[in-house]
Amino acid sequence: MTPTTETTVGIGGAAESTDMVLNIGPQHPSTHGVLRLRLVLDGERIVRAEPVIGYMHRGAEKLFEARDYRQIIVLANRHDWLSAFSNELGVVLAVERMLGMEVPGRAVWMRTLLAELNRVLNHLMFLGSYPLELGGITPVFYAFREREVLQNVMEEISGGRMHYMFNRVGGLKEDLPAGWTARARAAVADVRSRMDVFDDLVLGNEIFRGRTRGVGVLTAETVHAYGVSGPIARASGVDFDLRRDEPYLAYGDLQDTLKVVTRSEGDCLARFEVLLEQTHNALDLADACLDRLAELPPGPVNQRLPKVLKAPEGHTYAWTENPLGINGYYLVSKGEKTPYRLKLRSASYNNIQALTELLPGTLVADMVAILGSMFFVVGDIDK
């Protein structure tokens, strides 16, 4: 009889004391981008977590140095592909500040309106995709229906469905088409009338609440330590919103309508609630902008620019409250037609780093729920 050798691997107590390294990705989780998580597990519990980024790096910041001030808008447009209009906005605000340029009042209100419509489009994507990541497929169909209504009016003015390229240094590409404001108002009312789907279908679902309540609690201290911003920070009780605290565009005149939504729990459920309530408020802000535009007389929506646009030598920093959080744009000019340096401070980059504090101690089964509730776009991380 031939002797045999038996090897026992990972049984009983031996398995409980053995750490396992698990790679989640690199993959494309629910269209938000290619991300890899390196987890160290003790059984079913996460001991350490490291987000590994860079799989989508396109070198946008370096490309800015080889494009003039008109061309860099198309590059900045794409890092958070769900917030294209807001991305453009930060760049043109920085360049206009360098030039000391005043933008026509009509353009200021139009920019504010389009920024809030873009905010709703961004949030609707996550309001639909987050339940999908937890196994609920129905909400994403409703989310895309509402997105389609708003994308129709955005496409009408710009010709683009996601990358609008409607901002210009000094204002906007052109005035709104005849009758557009009425169609936009109808679209906003249409979306608002059906937003209770997310209150009833998602927040009213006991399985959704069971998977998210008390899961992935992010403390205010961690928010400050990692520079987390946007809906995620406000869900942890950090009451900060640039639109209120350092107003730009027309937000200074919208303080009666603007509502900064906060929660104190800091868990996955709180983050979803903040996102949903913020979507309602963005629709209200869009209506307020449409009301003001109706009162304004016809006028220019941009400034005449020289054929070759050069920013004076110096540097400036502009920041905006993008849908996912604070975006900063540090512009350095040597007096040429291209930036010497344009550094992006993107919301998702800081927000995703907090996973190193958020995931340890949680179960692998809760990892997807926590990851999805961080509402990130990987292009916004890698730039």
Side-chain angles (χ1 to χ4, degrees):
M1 184 175 181
T2 306
T4 59
T5 302
E6 293 184 0
T7 304
T8 304
V9 179
I11 300 298
E16 295 175 6
S17 61
T18 302
D19 286 345
M20 178 173 70
V21 178
L22 179 65
N23 277 299
I24 306 294
Q27 82 240 25
H28 203 283
S30 191
T31 78
H32 303 320
V34 180
L35 178 71
R36 173 185 165 208
L37 287 178
R38 184 179 183 275
L39 307 179
V40 178
L41 307 180
D42 181 6
E44 290 293 315
R45 202 163 291 277
I46 298 171
V47 178
R48 290 194 302 279
E50 177 192 359
V52 183
I53 64 175
Y55 293 94
M56 297 192 66
H57 180 59
R58 291 160 288 174
E61 291 178 333
K62 196 64 182 173
L63 289 172
F64 290 150
E65 300 169 17
R67 306 291 193 278
D68 68 33
Y69 287 105
R70 293 179 176 90
Q71 294 168 328
I72 61 174
I73 300 172
V74 76
L75 294 172
N77 183 293
R78 284 160 165 73
H79 59 89
D80 172 3
W81 46 76
L82 297 178
S83 309
F85 187 87
S86 301
N87 299 340
E88 301 169 13
L89 195 55
V91 172
V92 295
L93 288 175
V95 178
E96 287 161 4
R97 185 174 296 177
M98 287 285 286
L99 293 167
M101 182 180 288
E102 281 288 327
V103 176
R106 184 171 171 79
V108 171
W109 281 97
M110 286 168 58
R111 280 178 171 179
T112 311
L113 166 63
L114 297 173
E116 290 306 311
L117 292 178
N118 195 197
R119 192 180 308 276
V120 177
L121 284 167
N122 175 288
H123 290 357
L124 281 170
M125 176 64 82
F126 289 104
L127 292 173
S129 68
Y130 184 46
L132 181 65
E133 288 161 2
L134 298 180
I137 192 172
T138 309
V140 76
F141 296 120
Y142 288 105
F144 269 82
R145 179 184 65 181
E146 313 315 334
R147 277 174 54 83
E148 196 67 26
V149 171
L150 292 176
Q151 278 189 314
N152 285 340
V153 295
M154 295 292 279
E155 185 179 5
E156 183 184 352
I157 60 162
S158 66
R161 288 180 59 79
M162 288 186 70
H163 304 299
Y164 306 110
M165 274 304 296
F166 198 58
N167 275 291
R168 296 292 186 273
V169 175
L172 294 167
K173 176 187 173 187
E174 57 197 8
D175 206 344
L176 301 172
W180 183 88
T181 52
R183 291 187 289 276
R185 193 182 294 276
V188 168
D190 195 14
V191 172
R192 181 188 285 109
S193 70
R194 297 197 292 252
M195 284 298 294
D196 60 346
V197 164
F198 297 99
D199 291 295
D200 301 336
L201 188 64
V202 183
L203 286 180
N205 186 289
E206 60 183 65
I207 298 174
F208 179 84
R209 299 185 76 86
R211 290 290 307 277
T212 56
R213 188 195 289 113
V215 174
V217 176
L218 183 66
T219 65
E221 291 74 21
T222 304
V223 166
H224 291 302
Y226 282 84
V228 175
S229 60
I232 299 169
R234 292 191 283 273
S236 296
V238 179
D239 188 5
F240 181 73
D241 190 313
L242 281 176
R243 296 173 298 169
R244 180 198 63 194
D245 301 321
E246 197 171 308
Y248 57 99
L249 295 182
Y251 289 114
D253 296 322
L254 291 169
Q255 297 302 304
D256 292 340
T257 307
L258 176 64
K259 179 183 178 184
V260 179
V261 184
T262 60
R263 292 289 187 276
S264 58
E265 295 83 1
D267 57 9
C268 295
L269 181 60
R271 290 189 278 274
F272 187 86
E273 288 177 341
V274 167
L275 201 73
L276 178 55
E277 200 169 332
Q278 194 168 279
T279 307
H280 284 287
N281 186 239
L283 292 169
D284 293 339
L285 288 168
D287 266 341
C289 291
L290 286 165
D291 290 341
R292 184 55 192 264
L293 280 170
E295 300 169 358
L296 292 176
V301 295
N302 49 41
Q303 296 277 23
R304 290 185 64 86
L305 298 175
K307 188 173 182 179
V308 178
L309 180 65
K310 294 184 178 182
E313 190 169 347
H315 59 93
T316 191
Y317 183 75
W319 56 348
T320 58
E321 188 69 43
N322 262 40
L324 299 181
I326 293 173
N327 270 29
Y329 302 82
Y330 180 57
L331 173 63
V332 181
S333 171
K334 295 290 187 181
E336 301 297 330
K337 65 178 182 179
T338 62
Y340 178 75
R341 186 82 172 92
L342 179 55
K343 171 75 176 120
L344 299 183
R345 185 270 187 213
S346 58
S348 296
Y349 180 82
N350 287 67
N351 291 357
I352 207 70
Q353 305 308 317
L355 288 171
T356 57
E357 301 281 345
L358 201 52
L359 288 176
T362 63
L363 295 170
V364 176
D366 290 328
M367 184 271 297
V368 173
I370 297 169
L371 184 65
S373 74
M374 298 304 284
F375 308 134
F376 61 90
V377 170
V378 180
D380 200 39
I381 300 170
D382 292 347
K383 297 187 286 292

